[in-house]
Amino acid sequence: MSWKSRVEKPSGSIIPKKWALFLCLGSFCAGMLFTNRMWNVPETKDITRTTSVEAEKLKLVSEGCGPKSLHQKEVRRDPKDIYGEVFKTHNAIQTLDKTISNLEMELAAARAAQESIRSGAPLSEDLKKTGSSGSGKRKYLMVVGINTAFSSRKRRDSVRATWMPQVEESVQSYQLNLTIFFFSSFSATSGGILDRAVEAEDRKHGDILRLDHVEGYLELSGKTKIYFATAAALWDADFYVKVDDDVHVNIATLGETLVRHRSKPRVYIGCMKSGPVLAQKGVRYHEPEYWKFGENGNKYFRHATGQLYAISRDLAQYISINQHVLHKYANEDVSLGSWFIGLDVEHIDDRRLCCGTPPDCEWKAQAGNVCVASFDWTCSGICRSADRIKEVHRRCGEGENALWSASF
């Protein structure tokens, strides 16, 4: 049989058309199933075959995204790095606070200078420097302000004649390392006879600082607050001292006492006491806000007696910055003590700041323990101080040359 005839001859194994159609459909379905499996399986296999290095990379990338990534990274950070950043932030805040404080000091000094110009009082060298850089201010060991009233002309003269150094301001500043003056307020009737009398006295002696404050017995707390704020603005000193004009003071001994605490940032020095809170009206030292201190019969917190006390520069600046929100009690010494409650302040109780008048201060001086300040507790100062302070100075004074030979 030829090749041609074999090809053209129908074969008995040919598949019927009906079965061929079913075979095609089955093949199509099988192909679709196989294609879906091929689509999904390789992705799973690729993930399972990811190397450990690639997994770590994916982990690092994922840590950079998502809301929890920042917290997770902070937890794994070295605590030393965190403390270091906190310390730097704290220092930055302190620097900012100091800058703000300096600006507020310069603003207060400018206001004081303006007020002095308005009142006609002569400007001191420190006031004349106001408006220039703060670094131009001279540094003092102490600024001593003597609290006085309009009616205390005889007291002021007796102080000038005894323990208050009577030298020119330039000598007082550069040789004695201190500045000392009386501070007074204004009368309720501005420009009245009382104001004119004080202005005339200041033109003669040049030792009275007028505060932007109205004089009054119940305003002693406010007067003290403004004194420290003004003094801190005008003079850069380690200590700011307040003393009454009926107290005898040994200035050299005061300086030697304060210099021992020079390295301490926040100190409050005086004769610490804790007297009763007087609720009864009409008595001396009555406290209208007695209910704030607990039940009747309670005592005040520890505070320095008002005749003489000293505070460090940081505390004076604290008063200056916060003077508008510091509460004033009826008693000035209580008010000052309350301003430091809750602060990290060292209270220094030095009994040499509250000696009695002769023979008490005289005996102590003979024993080599010279008193800083002397007064009578019964009078809250030297009784009849204008007449007796010369005697106290003669018997309890530290000597005429003590201040010039002092090393502070």
Side-chain angles (χ1 to χ4, degrees), residues 78-91:
D78 189 349
K80 293 182 179 179
D81 295 338
I82 297 176
Y83 295 149
E85 292 185 8
V86 171
F87 182 74
K88 291 179 181 179
T89 303
H90 180 68
N91 286 342

Side-chain angles (χ1 to χ4, degrees), residues 4-5 11 34 48 56 104 121 135 138 149 152 213 217 227 243-244 252-253 259 308 353 366 405:
K4 183 177 179 179
S5 62
S11 173
F34 181 78
T48 56
E56 186 65 20
E104 290 176 336
S135 60
R138 171 169 170 75
S152 299
H213 180 260
Y217 177 76
Y227 157 64
V243 57
D244 289 340
T253 307
V259 79
L308 185 148
L353 274 65
Q366 292 174 356
S405 59

Side-chain angles (χ1 to χ4, degrees), residues 56-129:
E56 186 65 20
K57 290 181 179 179
L58 290 173
K59 183 179 180 182
L60 291 176
V61 172
S62 66
E63 286 179 350
C65 305
K68 296 183 179 179
S69 60
L70 181 60
H71 174 71
Q72 291 171 347
K73 289 175 69 177
E74 292 295 333
V75 172
R76 284 189 293 272
R77 290 178 59 185
D78 189 349
K80 293 182 179 179
D81 295 338
I82 297 176
Y83 295 149
E85 292 185 8
V86 171
F87 182 74
K88 291 179 181 179
T89 303
H90 180 68
N91 286 342
I93 293 174
Q94 283 187 330
T95 302
L96 181 60
D97 288 342
K98 187 175 182 180
T99 302
I100 295 174
S101 175
N102 290 336
L103 291 175
E104 290 176 336
M105 293 298 103
E106 293 180 7
L107 178 60
R111 288 174 177 170
Q114 186 179 21
E115 186 60 37
S116 296
I117 294 174
R118 289 177 179 176
S119 64
L123 292 178
S124 65
E125 292 300 319
D126 289 282
L127 278 172
K128 291 178 182 177
K129 292 180 182 179

Side-chain angles (χ1 to χ4, degrees), residues 301-342:
F301 41 78
R302 288 284 175 181
H303 61 279
T305 184
Q307 284 81 2
L308 185 148
Y309 47 73
I311 61 175
S312 57
R313 178 174 57 252
D314 285 359
L315 295 183
Q317 291 179 346
Y318 171 80
I319 293 175
S320 177
I321 295 171
N322 300 283
Q323 57 181 305
H324 301 297
V325 295
L326 295 177
H327 186 68
K328 297 178 294 183
Y329 290 101
N331 299 301
E332 163 244 347
D333 51 357
V334 173
S335 295
L336 183 74
S338 72
W339 299 337
F340 303 146
I341 293 293

Side-chain angles (χ1 to χ4, degrees), residues 21-37:
L21 180 60
F22 283 114
L23 181 60
C24 290
L25 289 174
S27 300
F28 177 77
C29 292
M32 289 295 295
L33 180 62
F34 181 78
T35 302
N36 289 336
R37 290 179 60 83

